[in-house]
Amino acid sequence: MPSPFFLILHSALMALTGIVLAAAVLSVALLTRQGQKLHTLLLLVVLPATAFALILPFLLTGTGTKPVLITLLQGVLIGPMISLAPLTRLKNTPGSWAATAQELGAGRKARFTLLWLPLLGNALAVGLFLALIISLLGTFALIKASLP
């Protein structure tokens, strides 16, 4: 049975990896204004990737793969699930709002703090909650896979 410290570290690292990937996806969506295409792509991969993240410990535990590598792979695989809620909110926001803010003199930082953060606030909270729940499920899967 792994120690409680290991379990907390595994959950935190998995969630953090997924959150970093989700932040990268959202940044690309904001900078390129390709939110619709990214949203469609995420819808195609979200369920298979999340399921594979939970099955991964059972596939790799007996092969000598380091638990940290399993954790990082799980974090990458849960990234689409975490970024889906904020990307959906971003997709449903009129594109003219950012253009209007820019025409009124708002720079990138002002648009980010005064427009995008308030608009995406609840969706980001949902994404963080999903990161926590899925990382806990991934930790339990790793525990179950490592038991004899």
Side-chain angles (χ1 to χ4, degrees):
M1 179 76 173
S3 69
F5 176 73
F6 171 78
L7 300 177
I8 292 170
L9 185 65
H10 178 273
S11 291
L13 184 60
M14 183 178 168
L16 184 63
T17 305
I19 290 168
V20 167
L21 181 66
V25 167
L26 289 173
S27 297
V28 167
L30 280 172
L31 293 174
T32 62
R33 297 184 180 154
Q34 296 295 319
Q36 178 66 38
K37 291 178 183 176
L38 284 172
H39 184 263
T40 304
L41 179 65
L42 284 178
L43 283 176
L44 292 173
V45 300
V46 70
L47 289 177
T50 305
F52 190 63
L54 297 177
I55 295 171
L56 192 65
F58 296 101
L59 299 174
L60 295 180
T61 299
T63 63
T65 306
K66 303 251 187 227
V68 173
L69 180 62
I70 295 172
T71 302
L72 292 174
L73 287 173
Q74 284 179 304
V76 168
L77 289 169
I78 68 169
M81 177 65 88
I82 297 169
S83 59
L84 190 61
L87 200 57
T88 300
R89 179 68 175 122
L90 182 67
K91 179 186 74 98
N92 294 332
T93 302
S96 61
W97 289 4
T100 301
Q102 186 174 3
E103 288 174 9
L104 291 173
R108 283 187 178 195
K109 184 179 178 184
R111 284 193 311 262
F112 180 74
T113 57
L114 299 174
L115 177 67
W116 295 119
L117 276 181
L119 281 173
L120 297 174
N122 290 338
L124 291 172
V126 168
L128 290 174
F129 179 73
L130 284 172
L132 174 69
I133 296 300
I134 297 171
S135 67
L136 288 174
L137 289 173
T139 301
F140 290 132
L142 186 65
I143 293 170
K144 202 73 160 148
S146 65
L147 292 176

